[in-house]
Structure formats: C-alpha cells, structure tokens
Amino acid sequence: MHRSLSALAVLGAAGLLLPAAALPSAAAAPAEQSVPVLNGDFADPVMKGDGPTTVGIDFWTGLNQRYSPAASGRTDASHGVALQKDGNTLRQRLRGVRAGAQVTVTYEDSPAVSKECTGEQVAGGQPYAVDASGGPVREVTTAGDPDRVKGTPGKGRWTGRAYVFTAGENEPLLTFTSRVTDSRTHVTCTPMIARIRAVEVPPALDRTVDKTRLGTSEAYKGNERESTLHNAAAACNGDNACVFRPDTRTSFRYYDRARVVGEAFVNCTRNTLEHSRLLSYAERSHDSISQTYAEAGLALVEVARLPTSGVREEDEKRARERPMAAQFALAYEKGWQRPWQWFSSDQRTVVERIQPGEVSWVELQPSRERVEGWFVGKKDDYRLHAVVDGPSRAVPDRLLQRTGPMSEAEKQRCAAARPMTTTPVGADAPASSSDKGLLRTPAPTAPGVRASSRSLPLG
C-alpha cells in the first residue's frame, strides 16, 4: 500500500486528513501528478568550464561525459550528458512512484557535440536505448548532424522525446544506455541526453489493506536496492540522522472493523433490567518494518523497533528512546499540526436497559490513521520505506450500544432447568405431616449442644 526532498516537504505540509465529505472515493480516478527527477538538468555538482568532464552526477549512477549548457548548444540551463559507448548507462530511480503507476518521462536528445566526431559518425544520428522497470526497451536514434567536420564542436540538434511505461516495481529504475559500439568512435562522440522530466498517474489507493498486512518495506542506498533493511535502519539510528517524509497521497484516516467490548448481557427474566457497567478498551500501532522482518522469519533488530509491540510499557520506552520513532512523530506533528499517538486507551460507563428476552452488548469502531512515507538520510544516501498505522484522535471512536433478540443458543440457555439435587429416598411419597409449630422441642441433653426453639409436628 512511494520525489525530491523539497517536493515531499510540500506534500507533508499540505495535510493528511480531509473533511469526510472531501475524501476521495475508491472509484475516483487519480489525477496526473509530477514526479521529481532529482538533478534532471545535470547541474550538480557545479562544473568548471564547458567540459566535457567525466564525473559522477548527483543522484545519478554511471560515469558519463558532461557539457555546460553553452557547450551543449542549449538555450536553457540544462547541461548535456553524453552516454559514452559500449553499453554505458545513466540511471536513476524515480522517487515516490509506486508499482502500477502510469509514468511518462520526457527528455531531449542530440547527436554528440564533441569536436572529436567525424561527419560520418553523426550524419545519420546516434543510437541509444531507454527503459524503466516494467516498461519496454525502446531503441532510439538521435537526429542527424550531416554538416559536421572533425575538430569543430557541434551546435546540438536537440529533439524532444517521450517514454511511457507502467511501473513494474516501487521506485522504478529509469535507464539510458548507449548503443554506440564502434571501437573507432571517440569516447566523447556519443548520443546526448538533457532536461529529464516525469509525470505519473498513480495507482488507485487500496483502503482495504489490513493493518496487520501493511506490505513489505524497502530500503535503498542511492539508486541501489538494499537486500535487507538493516543498514538503512542503522543509518537512521541517530537523533538527527534521518527525517521522515510522509506521502499524503497514500495516507488516510478510517474506521476499523467493529469489535465487541466487554461481555454480552442476556436477560432471561420476565422483567426489564437496568444497570451500569464500566468499559475499558485500548488501541496499539502497527508498522510495515516489523512486519517485513516477521514475514522473512528474522528477529527484529534493535535499531528498527518502532513503538508497535502492543506491550504498553515496552512501547512507552521505545517512544522515548528510539530515534526513528521521534523522527516519525516530529514529521507527523509538523505536517498535521497535532501530536502522533502510538497507543491509546479509554474508559466509559454505560447504562444498559435490557428488555425481557433480549441481549445487550457494546461494540467499538476505533478511529485510526495510516501514514506512508520514507525515512531519508540527510544526504539521501539511505531511504527506508515505512507504513505506520495507529490510533487517531482526528475523529472520535464509535461506541455502539446495542440490544437485540437472543440467539438460538441463548434461548436454549434461558430455557434450561434450574440446577437441582435429587431426593434419593421417598422422592415420590406424599408429605408425611403438617408442621404447625404447636409443640416446643425439648432442650438437647448432649453437652455443648446449643438449644434451639422449633416446633414439633403432631402425631
């Protein structure tokens, strides 16, 4: 049941809980939304000169040749990146995109502007491929540049492109791959990419997922998926090591399934019964991190323990001492202007009036809310996805005081005979005499026996 950091901060500040009438219905089609492509203009780190320079580009994986906007022949602030050759790639995971989303990536391509290119190498355009997790591999050839002469830089022939795919996994990996394999081609004379943007139509939100089945948490280091959650959780195990970035699109409040609180009272008498009783009930939180460990059959490591054990004393301790618990609660309070509560409890006194032949009971429908998002390291080196489901006080719990007819089993119980013992001798004989209390019984003669005043029957 997952953007640049600044975009996430804006989403978090927008608020989670809408008025009940404004909550989207399950059938409502999600609207198209922007997907942050981090450093989509390839401007970071800041480069000196016009290039080409071979350097790691912030938030992207792969060493490629980067040119300044002027050297790339561009009129905006976007830098051009040449993909080099021999299958070299440029990759980034699209933050916040969930499996099933319809994603459209737009970008521009151009044949190389390198002065090392011969006219033959760029005259008919240069090949590369673009693909993403769940999408097809699309083979593309840039526009041609037939007037080129070796030793003279090109001016760029930029062409707008669009690549559409359905995300086959969370955080799908977008990849550009050079198809220039001619060994005679200079490393800088390869197809160029610039100005990458993306939008998505997210999958419909499934509100039917049970709080005990919140899905599998995932962890990433940069663009690489981590095999376990351990390293990411350990990286966030510091007071200011990570921040939690909630995703308001997939966070919501709801009423949980009703459950009976206390006992059911059955009135087997012929009279109306009226009495008061005290009801006590409590709610706890659940989280996808601990559920992921449990599903894998692994012991939950200390650094990944949120206050969701269900043991009040233990959860109070975790809420005080676990940095990730504080990071989550702080982000929630900033975003929704009220404190997060990991657990809750309450008591109510109810007065019951039960008619003859009826049953009385009380049901609870607790108000809960689900928050989905990411624990993100300060340098975006680690990201840990989490879903937390906890008791809410945004809207009140529902207590349903109910009376109704007995079930067949309860009717049988009410019709059952009163427990009795037997008379083993003379059970069917008539009473032997009447006791009118006309005679006094003599005082007992045995020592220590207390005298009693009772009547003797007439003979």
Side-chain angles (χ1 to χ4, degrees), residues 281-297:
Y281 51 94
E283 288 291 299
R284 54 167 290 196
S285 291
H286 300 264
D287 76 273
S288 62
I289 296 176
S290 62
Q291 291 174 12
T292 299
Y293 276 88
E295 286 292 325

Side-chain angles (χ1 to χ4, degrees), residues 292-370:
T292 299
Y293 276 88
E295 286 292 325
L298 300 174
L300 183 62
V301 295
E302 180 69 23
V303 293
R305 294 178 179 175
L306 292 174
T308 58
S309 71
V311 180
R312 184 64 173 264
E313 295 76 11
E314 171 65 17
D315 287 341
E316 288 175 343
K317 182 174 181 291
R318 291 185 187 183
R320 291 191 305 267
E321 299 177 359
R322 296 266 57 83
M324 286 174 61
Q327 293 158 13
F328 178 90
L330 178 61
Y332 179 87
E333 186 164 358
K334 283 184 176 180
W336 293 286
Q337 302 301 307
R338 62 174 177 270
W340 172 262
Q341 56 179 9
W342 294 99
F343 35 76
S344 67
S345 59
D346 209 346
Q347 290 185 333
R348 289 286 187 275
T349 299
V350 298
V351 178
E352 294 180 302
R353 185 179 178 86
I354 314 172
Q355 299 298 327
E358 287 195 338
V359 183
S360 172
W361 71 97
V362 176
E363 294 177 1
L364 169 68
Q365 262 195 296
S367 168
R368 299 185 66 86
E369 53 192 304
R370 187 166 299 174

Side-chain angles (χ1 to χ4, degrees), residues 1 14 105 122 143 147 164 285 374 410 443:
M1 89 70 135
V105 177
V122 295
D147 301 327
V164 181
S285 291
W374 295 84
E410 288 164 340

Side-chain angles (χ1 to χ4, degrees), residues 184-213:
R184 296 171 299 172
T185 303
H186 193 276
V187 69
T188 61
C189 187
T190 48
M192 300 180 68
I193 303 296
R195 200 175 187 277
I196 302 177
R197 302 290 188 267
V199 295
E200 68 164 329
V201 177
L205 177 61
D206 185 359
R207 298 173 184 270
T208 65
V209 175
D210 190 84
K211 60 183 180 294
T212 62
R213 293 289 184 271

Side-chain angles (χ1 to χ4, degrees), residues 4 34-43 57-61 64 74 76-83 89-95 103-110 128-132 158-163 165 172-177 191-199:
S4 66
S34 64
V35 175
V37 178
L38 305 186
N39 197 22
D41 290 332
F42 307 119
I57 302 172
D58 289 356
F59 303 111
W60 293 90
T61 299
N64 299 273
R74 299 192 58 81
D76 59 9
S78 297
H79 294 60
V81 172
L83 297 175
T89 61
L90 177 69
R91 298 177 287 134
Q92 182 182 132
R93 287 195 178 273
L94 299 180
R95 269 68 162 172
V103 184
T104 301
V105 177
T106 57
Y107 64 97
E108 297 178 36
D109 66 18
S110 170
Y128 68 94
V130 57
D131 69 282
W158 293 99
T159 303
R161 306 284 187 183
Y163 173 69
F165 70 98
L173 186 63
L174 175 66
T175 305
F176 296 89
T177 306
M192 300 180 68
I193 303 296
R195 200 175 187 277
I196 302 177
R197 302 290 188 267
V199 295

Side-chain angles (χ1 to χ4, degrees), residues 131-164:
D131 69 282
S133 307
V137 177
R138 181 181 177 188
E139 302 291 341
V140 187
T141 300
T142 69
D145 194 357
D147 301 327
R148 290 286 296 283
V149 177
K150 186 173 181 179
T152 302
K155 297 181 180 179
R157 291 179 177 265
W158 293 99
T159 303
R161 306 284 187 183
Y163 173 69
V164 181

